[in-house]
Amino acid sequence: MTSTLAPFPAARPRRLRTSAAIRNLTRENELSVNDLIWPVFVRDGKGMEEPVQSMPGVLRRSVDKVVEAAIEAHALGIPALCLFPYTDPSLKTEDCAEAWNSDNLCNRAIRAIKAAVPELAIMTDVALDPYNINGHDGFVIDGEIRNDETVEALVKMTLAQAEAGADIIGPSDMMDGRVGAMRSALEARGFHNVKILSYSAKYASGFYGPFRDAVGASGALKGDKKTYQMDAGNSDEALRMIARDLREGADMVMIKPGLAYLDICHQVKRAYRVPTFAYQVSGEYAMIQAAAQNGWIDGEQVMLESLMAFRRAGCDGVLTYFAPQVARLLNG
Ligand code: PBG
């Protein structure tokens, strides 16, 4: 259904663009701090804030500094933070046991944040790559990324995070059957209100490069992730993946990367009418920051415009490294 316009000059569409007041009044979509999930990198140590080279403005923080960042995020009105651990290489193994260690970096960070700002929602990422000696999201056995063995490990990882106090579990591994397995394990253990925001439509993408740098996985990764992450040419498949995860018990779904996959965001929201999120990933962030630093674009304007695009496409929210910067701007 499209709206009709009177013929010119009865209709002059520019009338509605003449002043900020009128533009504000007639804007169809809004970006708010309530739409933001802030991905944060955690590292070992104390009092540490270490810049990520390929992501200007992004830091790896030790747990005490993550707590400070969480307090600030909450004060800014950001509803949720998503944790990504930079695991010491000595803790990476073939069996990935550190992933479900109840005292690993991620779980320590969850407990520390929950003790300081219990109102802030904490999301986690579930995949084996930060703990895997070969950088993959699943177990590699005889050169093959094994699905079912990985799902068992992801369930253990999920339960350890839920026990630590995670509010939202974010399976990012793209193994088959993981959402259902996580949901029944959570129910069986009494975690009835732990939410699953599934990375349902996650593409094998070049846009993840800077992230793998940030979590120290680029050096380790052997090969690519194309046998589990999706092919860039597919959109029907994305809808099937979303439908499957919802049937298995996901509360919310995600499309990743963001801008290059806006068509998918739009279709998913249209088709399923469920809470839909996009991940504006590291490469998207890095491209905007790099061009802004060179003076080639207005970084602030492009940041806001790119985030508004997700809202226009139908997303309820966005995971973005820009979260604190946007929140400060929106709060004036
Ligand atoms: C790990 C994971 C990745 C990202 C989020 N979780 C990388 C990957 O799949 O290789 C990427 C996030 C970003 O690029 O900002 N499973």
Side-chain angles (χ1 to χ4, degrees):
M1 185 182 54
T2 47
S3 51
T4 48
L5 279 179
F8 177 83
R12 286 183 184 272
R14 289 184 58 194
R15 276 186 209 120
L16 296 182
R17 302 177 201 138
T18 46
S19 70
I22 300 301
R23 289 191 296 272
N24 289 344
L25 200 59
T26 58
R27 184 171 302 116
E28 297 168 41
N29 297 284
E30 293 284 352
L31 177 67
S32 131
V33 289
N34 292 326
D35 307 324
L36 305 172
I37 300 178
W38 183 24
V40 171
F41 298 111
V42 195
R43 54 152 297 153
D44 241 333
K46 230 181 138 48
M48 301 281 293
E49 288 183 322
E50 167 187 41
V52 177
Q53 239 230 304
S54 50
M55 300 177 73
V58 170
L59 305 167
R60 294 187 196 109
R61 297 169 162 88
S62 54
V63 171
D64 55 324
K65 290 288 178 184
V66 168
V67 170
E68 281 177 24
I71 293 169
E72 195 204 344
H74 181 58
L76 286 167
I78 296 170
L81 206 130
C82 186
L83 296 174
F84 292 96
Y86 172 87
T87 307
D88 191 278
S90 69
L91 294 173
K92 297 186 185 196
T93 57
E94 218 150 288
D95 70 1
C96 308
E98 185 63 8
W100 52 92
N101 173 359
S102 66
D103 215 26
N104 70 19
L105 194 51
C106 178
N107 294 328
R108 288 204 308 272
I110 297 171
R111 287 195 183 89
I113 296 169
K114 278 288 158 188
V117 253
E119 307 88 349
L120 183 71
I122 303 300
M123 176 173 169
T124 55
D125 189 85
V126 179
L128 299 180
D129 55 334
Y131 312 99
N132 207 343
I133 192 121
N134 51 61
H136 276 292
D137 293 14
F139 287 127
V140 181
I141 305 171
D142 300 329
E144 190 198 332
I145 289 121
R146 295 280 272 267
N147 193 86
D148 302 10
E149 292 88 342
T150 300
V151 169
E152 278 177 41
L154 298 174
V155 166
K156 288 192 270 182
M157 189 175 172
T158 299
L159 290 174
Q161 294 173 346
E163 260 154 30
D167 300 281
I168 306 171
I169 303 293
S172 75
D173 53 284
M174 288 300 277
M175 297 296 123
D176 292 324
R178 89 269 213 219
V179 172
M182 288 172 186
R183 177 54 78 209
S184 33
L186 287 169
E187 282 294 321
R189 295 281 289 271
F191 295 113
H192 307 303
N193 286 320
V194 170
K195 289 145 274 289
I196 297 178
L197 197 182
S198 182
Y199 289 63
S200 302
K202 177 171 178 179
Y203 288 85
S205 171
F207 286 100
Y208 307 148
F211 172 95
R212 291 179 191 165
D213 225 16
V215 298
S218 6
L221 184 63
K222 296 186 184 76
D224 57 47
K225 300 192 174 185
K226 290 181 179 170
T227 69
Y228 45 109
Q229 299 179 347
M230 284 176 50
D231 187 283
N234 296 348
S235 55
D236 288 344
E237 187 190 7
L239 297 181
R240 289 199 297 275
M241 295 301 95
I242 300 276
R244 176 198 56 184
D245 286 0
L246 290 170
R247 271 198 307 272
E248 290 186 17
D251 304 286
M252 305 175 267
V253 294
M254 192 204 295
I255 294 93
K256 176 184 177 189
L259 272 199
Y261 297 86
L262 268 191
D263 57 319
I264 309 295
C265 298
H266 185 67
Q267 287 193 60
V268 164
K269 188 60 178 184
R270 278 266 170 109
Y272 298 105
R273 300 283 161 194
V274 295
T276 302
F277 291 79
Y279 198 143
Q280 181 179 53
V281 299
S282 56
E284 301 177 61
Y285 174 86
M287 290 193 315
I288 294 174
Q289 292 293 69
Q293 284 190 344
N294 277 289
W296 296 336
I297 58 171
D298 178 331
E300 222 161 64
Q301 189 184 346
V302 172
M303 167 183 84
L304 290 174
E305 190 178 332
S306 64
L307 293 170
M308 183 63 94
F310 294 113
R311 298 286 290 139
R312 200 180 59 240
C315 291
D316 296 278
V318 191
L319 285 91
T320 176
Y321 301 98
F322 285 120
Q325 202 184 330
V326 189
R328 269 181 234 115
L329 211 68
L330 293 175
N331 291 334

